[in-house]
Amino acid sequence: MAGNSWLLLLCLAAVSTAGVLQARAQPDSNGFISIDCGLPGTASYVDDNTKLSYAPDAAFVGDAGSNHNISAEYITPKLSKRYLNVRSFPDGGRSCYTLRSLVSGLKYLLRASFVYGNYDGLRRPPVFDLHVGVNFWTTVNITDADKLEIPEAIVLVPGDCVQVCLVNTGSGTPFISGLDLRPLKSTLYPQANATQGLVLLGRLNFGPTDITDIVRYPDDPHDRFWYPWVDATSWSSISTTERVQNIDNDLFEAPSKVMQTAVTPRNASSNIEFFWDNDPQPNDPSPGYIGILHFSEVELLPGSATRQFYININGKQWYPKPFTPEYLYSDAIYNNNPHSGFARYNISLNATGNSTLPPIINAVEVFSVIPTTNVGTDSQDVSAITAIKEKYGGKKNWMGDPCVPKNLAWDGLACSYAISNPPTIISVNLSFSGLNGDLSSSFANLNAVQYIDLSHNNLTGSIPDSLSQLTSLAVLDLTGNKLSGSIPSGLLKRIQDGSLTLRYGDNPNLCSNGNSCQMAKRKSMLAIYIAIPVVLVVVIVSVAVLLLCFCRRNKQGDTSANETPMSHAPTSVSSYPQSSLQLENRCFTYKDLEMITNNFQRVLGRGGFGDVYDGFLEDGTQVAVKLRSDSSNQGVKEFLAEAQTLTRIHHKNLVSMIGYCKDGDYMALVYEYMSEGTLQEHISGNGRNTGFLNWRQRLKIALESAQGLEYLHKGCYPPLIHRDVKASNILLNAKLEAKIADFGLTKAYLNNDSHVSTNTLVGTLGYMDPEYHATLQLSTKSDVYSFGVVLLELVTGRPAIVSDPETMSIVQWARQRLARGNIEGVVDPPMRGDHDVNSVWKVADVALKCTAQSAAQRPTMAEVVAQLHECLELEDARAAGGGDANGGYYTGGSSSDPYHSYNAYADVSQTSTGFEVEHNFGRVPTMPTGPAAR
Ligand SMILES: *[C@@H]1O[C@H](CO)[C@@H](O)[C@H](O)[C@H]1NC(C)=O
Ligand SMILES: *[C@@H]1O[C@H](CO)[C@@H](O)[C@H](O)[C@H]1NC(C)=O
Ligand SMILES: *[C@@H]1O[C@H](CO)[C@@H](O)[C@H](O)[C@H]1NC(C)=O
Ligand SMILES: *[C@@H]1O[C@H](CO)[C@@H](O)[C@H](O)[C@H]1NC(C)=O
Ligand SMILES: *[C@@H]1O[C@H](CO)[C@@H](O)[C@H](O)[C@H]1NC(C)=O
Ligand SMILES: *[C@@H]1O[C@H](CO)[C@@H](O)[C@H](O)[C@H]1NC(C)=O
């Protein structure tokens, strides 16, 4: 099940490439696909050595990326033609090659190759990831401009195509020199199956006659690369000119040319020993390994001689019996269940007491195992969105699977990730995307879609009625196009029964008769309220406050940390551009709000003030409408205070007000919509937003909320104290950007006095500054205290008041544990192990300083912001240093080929004890006596 659809991807993708090219994007008569990436034009060429035909890559990659030649200084006569050019992908996070016309369910060998050759003149080889379909394959770490990296994987392909994707991980521009696909019989390499793939660590041919010769096609019909390995100091080479046969049902089909040569210890009483080292991967510090040792006797032994040896891994028998290779037949010892958990894997072959000859070995392959369990997006959604992409061009990152992995999901799409089903597309936002032509009927094939926004494009023609079949569709926004005809009846019905909100204003040619026309008129009335002058603003916003208070403007993208705090009052009040107030905040009537919220249908949350509703402005902008309820315990005063505050604060980390309503007794504030809800919901795992936050996301949220508070404290005059900082007042938008909300209790205080006295205690239990509690003396340091509590919640994943087992504040709880140096004991359990410990310690330390008893000992928010910046850098440094997939390859023995290296060392003796080695090996059944054709 899971395995069935993991690669089932976009077989339709990139059909945009011309039919002419398409013909060459087919496997050759062997079923091979051999691509020379970055080769311009459409002509293939035949390689002199292998006689294989190499095709240019345009037909496989569409128009992504650009061609480059490697720099002349790296061109040597030995370098084959395919490495002279590369294709690089400076744009987009993920760029994919699609290999089509495959046989579903068959196993394939995939091999990518990379020669950097300073093609970009930057002398900075990049590091990036490779994915096979929606599953991680390996990290490509190019360490030298002239080094050839050739990652290889063996995977089972469930569909009739497979994608190989290069993923930009922020360490340079991905590029590629070549890509090969070779079919393998499905019985070969039984360890590769629907749920796991094999990534090659090394494939070595022992004792070749020509020590520079890499055996491949046509000697190996599967075109595997067998690298030579000789070590003249420890091993002597032995060989035969007779053909070595594969037995029936051979699981590995090692080629005769490889099996004809072998090594044996130079000193007949020694063992054959070699090893490979654990190669940690970004998502798996200790991958499992599959080893395959290939044996064949190459000497015709006299009757009195025996060659019999044990095969050991890390000092334990791998194969439980003495082993004797058969003359001129290939045989293999291998494991099915991966070995893992060792820093080094030592293989040793020692002769038994009865043996008259030392051990031999002909070849070895070592693979690490990768899971291929990620499931791609629902295939019908993939077809539909691919057709939409073909029609309109799509957006920049529309490559690979639309929803998987999450962090590479296509821009403008939102997906639902249910555990048991493939992900589905639930929202498509293509507003302002310059779409031309008619409205694609493929939208009607997105079965789970709830929200489609195609506003402000150039769409023409009529609206397809098939869209009314989308039962989950709740909002269809077609505002600002050139659509014509009338609203189809199916859609009208959906609108009338309240299951669909259709926006279609500003389509001059739409609906000239009948019901639909009337509807349109009624709708277009809505637009009038844009024009209502914002006179009412003075009704609720006291003029005095406006004149006395102002806040520094914070342009999008600024971080206030980099700005100098404003410590002086404005010299002239008139220098403040008053008009900006009126331009930015709209006044809504209660009727408007009814429209916006569809009669207050969906409640987003409940607060002391009243309920918060989901709504859409006429331009499709999603908003949150906070409506004061009569029973509210937050009074008119707080409402006015909040409106007042919001009109003058502008910072990317403070929730912004779009408008307000003061219509009779109705009062409401209209805010920007924060789709991911409150931080508290994420920490507690309760509520509609329960996605787990990793440490980096938490750090970013901490830093952003700190910046919002810093702005209130430093960027406003007089400074503002929030007074109710808590996890439920930190909201997250779709990009998980944090913004501080709820300014109902916010108070201004004048700088010349370091405290404000308040006569009522406000705030939330668990977050309240103890000093303020005792003295009613309020300062910005009270917010710092509350923020410290939020930091502890982020580190521990626990609420402000814990019961463990007794009820106490999280400050006390964490202080007790941290005093014992027990950081892992306080860290949120699901986060353990996946974070930079120093960065967690540092945040915990900042949190403890923020929650010092005495306000004077607490840092300012500016200091907190600076500290959190450093924490984020620590964490990013850890993440960047994580992977080293292909590094660690090393040139083994005396091999002189500069273009390969291998991660195994000859003849190293090391005794190791105490390891458990599973006895789940296997062995190719040896052929019974029979008609052995020589
Ligand atoms: C790469 O080199 C070839 C042959 O020297 C030349 O024809 C081609 O224009 C070069 N391409 C680029 C992108 O520089
Ligand atoms: C693939 O092989 C692994 C290891 O032998 C096994 O655990 C897994 O169940 C297999 N998957 C399938 C789909 O057979
Ligand atoms: C060979 O190795 C096995 C396992 O390490 C050990 O039990 C055995 O004694 C060794 N035999 C010889 C002859 O060294
Ligand atoms: C060694 O030879 C003896 C006598 O032929 C036999 O009994 C014993 O099983 C043999 N041992 C091995 C490991 O083959
Ligand atoms: C629509 O097309 C016209 C001309 O065809 C162009 O001027 C205009 O910018 C386009 N509008 C949008 C929103 O793409
Ligand atoms: C790439 O390899 C180099 C050399 O082995 C290593 O220092 C570096 O950390 C690696 N980079 C990444 C991102 O893995």
Side-chain angles (χ1 to χ4, degrees):
M1 20 129 283
N4 273 346
S5 48
W6 71 269
L7 283 164
L8 208 70
L9 261 184
L10 305 181
C11 291
L12 307 151
V15 270
S16 59
T17 43
V20 189
L21 298 182
Q22 205 68 14
R24 293 206 171 77
Q26 303 285 336
D28 67 10
S29 57
N30 290 310
F32 290 6
I33 296 177
S34 312
I35 306 173
D36 183 341
C37 302
L39 181 70
T42 58
S44 299
Y45 61 87
V46 173
D47 176 66
D48 285 346
N49 293 325
T50 57
K51 309 289 181 236
L52 292 175
S53 173
Y54 287 87
D57 59 350
F60 301 90
V61 73
D63 52 6
S66 53
N67 298 350
H68 298 272
N69 289 333
I70 66 166
S71 150
E73 66 195 289
Y74 293 102
I75 299 178
T76 61
K78 255 188 90 178
L79 197 62
S80 43
K81 178 168 161 62
R82 85 186 305 197
Y83 301 125
L84 296 178
N85 39 52
V86 303
R87 182 176 294 266
S88 81
F89 300 94
D91 299 321
R94 170 173 56 177
S95 310
C96 301
Y97 282 77
T98 307
L99 309 177
R100 279 181 227 88
S101 304
L102 310 188
V103 180
S104 168
L106 204 63
K107 264 171 219 171
Y108 287 89
L109 181 156
L110 286 166
R111 182 168 53 213
S113 48
F114 305 89
V115 175
Y116 169 65
N118 195 28
Y119 77 86
D120 54 3
L122 297 176
R123 298 201 177 280
R124 214 181 305 126
V127 181
F128 51 90
D129 283 353
L130 269 191
H131 289 194
V132 49
V134 292
N135 288 287
F136 176 83
W137 168 357
T138 188
T139 298
V140 179
N141 183 348
I142 314 281
T143 46
D144 290 303
D146 61 354
K147 193 168 167 200
L148 173 62
E149 292 285 350
I150 312 187
E152 179 193 305
I154 294 175
V155 293
L156 188 146
V157 173
D160 58 359
C161 75
V162 64
Q163 288 199 319
V164 172
C165 302
L166 291 82
V167 179
N168 190 326
T169 50
S171 306
T173 300
F175 74 92
I176 184 166
S177 307
L179 183 61
D180 294 329
L181 172 132
R182 309 287 180 246
L184 300 172
K185 284 180 220 161
S186 47
T187 50
L188 294 189
Y189 295 97
Q191 299 93 340
N193 62 23
T195 51
Q196 73 182 22
L198 302 178
V199 172
L200 185 69
L201 191 71
R203 178 182 289 122
L204 297 179
N205 175 19
F206 287 99
T209 12
D210 175 355
I211 60 165
T212 62
D213 187 23
I214 296 171
V215 176
R216 59 174 296 191
Y217 185 84
D219 293 313
D220 184 346
H222 305 298
D223 194 28
R224 289 164 290 187
F225 291 179
W226 300 83
Y227 293 101
W229 196 5
V230 292
D231 179 355
T233 56
S234 317
W235 302 333
S236 39
S237 301
I238 50 177
S239 63
T240 175
T241 51
E242 301 284 329
R243 183 173 170 74
V244 176
Q245 308 284 324
N246 290 127
I247 56 164
D248 285 347
N249 306 320
D250 193 316
L251 297 178
F252 304 103
E253 296 188 350
S256 174
K257 178 149 185 202
V258 167
M259 298 306 290
Q260 280 171 330
T261 65
V263 294
T264 187
R266 189 160 278 279
N267 172 351
S269 61
S270 298
N271 302 335
I272 294 178
E273 287 173 332
F274 59 91
F275 69 82
W276 69 88
D277 279 335
N278 181 49
D279 183 17
Q281 296 295 302
N283 44 7
D284 190 357
S286 184
Y289 290 97
I290 300 286
I292 302 162
L293 310 186
H294 300 271
F295 299 101
S296 167
E297 183 57 76
V298 293
E299 292 177 335
L300 186 57
L301 306 182
S304 57
T306 342
R307 192 189 308 274
Q308 193 186 49
F309 50 92
Y310 290 103
I311 300 163
N312 308 299
I313 181 163
N314 287 346
K316 296 282 168 92
Q317 287 185 354
W318 185 356
Y319 186 64
K321 294 190 296 188
F323 180 78
T324 299
E326 202 180 341
Y327 182 55
L328 299 185
Y329 274 91
S330 62
D331 198 349
I333 298 293
Y334 60 95
N335 57 312
N336 277 330
N337 288 6
H339 296 298
S340 68
F342 295 87
R344 169 167 292 181
Y345 297 84
N346 289 303
I347 304 295
S348 102
L349 313 178
N350 67 344
T352 66
N354 286 1
S355 184
T356 61
L357 292 167
I360 63 166
I361 185 166
N362 307 58
V364 61
E365 292 174 275
V366 179
F367 296 92
S368 61
V369 168
I370 49 164
T372 54
T373 44
N374 282 351
V375 176
T377 305
D378 176 79
S379 57
Q380 205 183 332
D381 278 6
V382 171
S383 313
I385 199 74
T386 304
I388 290 165
K389 175 185 161 186
E390 294 306 322
K391 186 171 174 81
Y392 302 116
K395 299 199 178 194
K396 202 159 138 187
N397 80 340
W398 283 31
M399 284 284 261
D401 187 276
C403 301
V404 188
K406 264 190 199 185
N407 61 333
L408 298 174
W410 292 2
D411 286 345
L413 301 189
C415 305
S416 149
Y417 300 89
I419 292 163
S420 50
N421 298 316
T424 52
I425 297 170
I426 55 168
S427 159
V428 180
N429 182 347
L430 286 171
S431 61
F432 295 101
S433 300
L435 310 187
N436 284 299
D438 57 356
L439 209 169
S440 167
S441 56
S442 297
F443 284 104
N445 297 331
L446 294 169
N447 288 318
V449 77
Q450 299 166 12
Y451 178 91
I452 299 178
D453 186 351
L454 303 174
S455 60
H456 306 289
N457 286 299
N458 264 346
L459 295 173
T460 53
S462 55
I463 304 174
D465 196 22
S466 51
L467 291 171
S468 64
Q469 304 302 316
L470 292 170
T471 47
S472 306
L473 185 64
V475 178
L476 174 60
D477 194 338
L478 303 172
T479 312
N481 279 290
K482 295 181 181 143
L483 294 164
S484 53
S486 54
I487 312 272
S489 58
L491 283 177
L492 278 178
K493 220 162 138 250
R494 291 280 308 274
I495 297 164
Q496 275 150 13
D497 72 18
S499 64
L500 174 70
T501 304
L502 175 69
R503 304 197 185 93
Y504 54 89
D506 197 14
N507 274 289
N509 304 326
L510 198 63
C511 74
S512 48
N513 55 38
N515 282 341
S516 48
C517 211
Q518 275 169 19
M519 280 205 44
K521 277 192 187 127
R522 210 170 69 222
K523 275 276 177 179
S524 59
M525 300 269 285
L526 253 180
I528 292 173
Y529 59 66
I530 306 174
I532 296 177
V534 190
V535 179
L536 274 174
V537 73
V538 286
V539 176
I540 60 159
V541 177
S542 122
V543 175
V545 170
L546 277 185
L547 294 182
L548 279 175
C549 306
F550 79 102
C551 290
R552 181 157 52 89
R553 298 285 307 176
N554 181 281
K555 300 250 163 48
Q556 206 79 28
D558 277 6
T559 60
S560 54
N562 301 333
E563 293 168 36
T564 48
M566 170 104 46
S567 55
H568 54 88
T571 44
S572 153
V573 167
S574 62
S575 67
Y576 181 66
Q578 305 206 2
S579 60
S580 66
L581 262 186
Q582 293 169 8
L583 288 175
E584 279 166 21
N585 294 294
R586 278 172 50 181
C587 168
F588 295 93
T589 64
Y590 185 69
K591 259 196 122 33
D592 293 338
L593 295 184
E594 283 181 332
M595 296 266 211
I596 289 173
T597 60
N598 201 2
N599 279 319
F600 301 99
Q601 208 173 39
R602 192 161 94 90
V603 176
L604 291 175
R606 297 202 150 82
F609 180 83
D611 288 349
V612 181
Y613 298 92
D614 187 17
F616 289 92
L617 298 186
E618 69 290 339
D619 67 354
T621 311
Q622 197 167 6
V623 294
V625 178
K626 176 163 147 183
L627 183 69
R628 197 184 85 91
S629 78
D630 291 338
S631 59
S632 159
N633 54 24
Q634 187 183 0
V636 178
K637 207 167 117 212
E638 284 85 6
F639 169 80
L640 290 177
E642 178 157 19
Q644 238 170 52
T645 305
L646 283 168
T647 51
R648 62 200 186 91
I649 56 178
H650 303 277
H651 187 276
K652 66 184 167 73
N653 300 122
L654 300 176
V655 124
S656 60
M657 178 166 76
I658 288 166
Y660 60 89
C661 164
K662 172 86 178 67
D663 186 351
D665 287 341
Y666 294 114
M667 288 186 223
L669 296 175
V670 180
Y671 305 93
E672 65 179 308
Y673 181 73
M674 302 290 286
S675 63
E676 291 302 302
T678 72
L679 175 58
Q680 192 193 6
E681 288 172 308
H682 283 268
I683 292 177
S684 67
N686 296 324
R688 65 204 158 86
N689 294 298
T690 58
F692 170 72
L693 298 171
N694 66 29
W695 178 238
R696 190 181 190 283
Q697 288 167 326
R698 293 180 198 218
L699 263 178
K700 200 172 139 274
I701 288 166
L703 176 60
E704 287 168 349
S705 355
Q707 285 169 354
L709 285 177
E710 186 205 14
Y711 169 82
L712 287 181
H713 294 177
K714 292 280 189 173
C716 292
Y717 181 86
L720 294 173
I721 307 173
H722 187 283
R723 293 212 292 175
D724 202 11
V725 175
K726 55 182 174 185
S728 58
N729 278 341
I730 294 173
L731 302 184
L732 304 175
N733 68 13
K735 293 187 209 152
L736 287 182
E737 287 163 346
K739 305 194 184 209
I740 306 258
D742 206 341
F743 301 92
L745 299 177
T746 302
K747 252 200 155 35
Y749 79 106
L750 287 171
N751 234 358
N752 50 10
D753 187 356
S754 64
H755 298 287
V756 217
S757 283
T758 58
N759 39 27
T760 36
L761 192 62
V762 298
T764 302
L765 202 63
Y767 292 90
M768 211 184 296
D769 171 8
E771 201 170 86
Y772 163 60
H773 196 239
T775 62
L776 291 180
Q777 295 278 297
L778 189 64
S779 77
T780 50
K781 296 291 183 73
S782 304
D783 282 351
V784 173
Y785 182 92
S786 312
F787 185 73
V789 175
V790 173
L791 284 181
L792 288 175
E793 288 182 88
L794 281 168
V795 170
T796 64
R798 288 162 188 268
I801 308 277
V802 296
S803 24
D804 183 17
E806 0 153 26
T807 304
M808 63 169 97
S809 94
I810 193 170
V811 176
Q812 220 182 333
W813 184 89
R815 224 172 256 286
Q816 284 173 0
R817 277 160 183 79
L818 291 173
R820 287 184 240 129
N822 178 8
I823 187 80
E824 288 299 316
V826 304
V827 167
D828 196 3
M831 213 169 68
R832 277 177 200 160
D834 188 23
H835 54 252
D836 179 80
V837 174
N838 292 325
S839 116
V840 178
W841 258 118
K842 204 165 153 77
V843 172
D845 187 50
V846 172
L848 293 185
K849 286 188 175 127
C850 288
T851 52
Q853 277 293 312
S854 140
Q857 284 168 4
R858 297 176 205 150
T860 62
M861 280 317 296
E863 286 159 352
V864 172
V865 166
Q867 295 285 311
L868 291 176
H869 259 298
E870 287 176 24
C871 297
L872 195 58
E873 277 163 20
L874 283 175
E875 171 63 15
D876 283 346
R878 175 196 74 95
D884 178 16
N886 292 339
Y889 270 53
Y890 119 110
T891 306
S894 55
S895 160
S896 57
D897 187 299
Y899 283 136
H900 95 274
S901 48
Y902 185 61
N903 199 16
Y905 300 68
D907 197 31
V908 174
S909 313
Q910 187 187 324
T911 48
S912 51
T913 49
F915 293 123
E916 278 293 322
V917 177
E918 317 139 84
H919 279 269
N920 34 43
F921 50 82
R923 193 184 147 193
V924 181
T926 37
M927 191 157 134
T929 54
R934 302 275 143 118

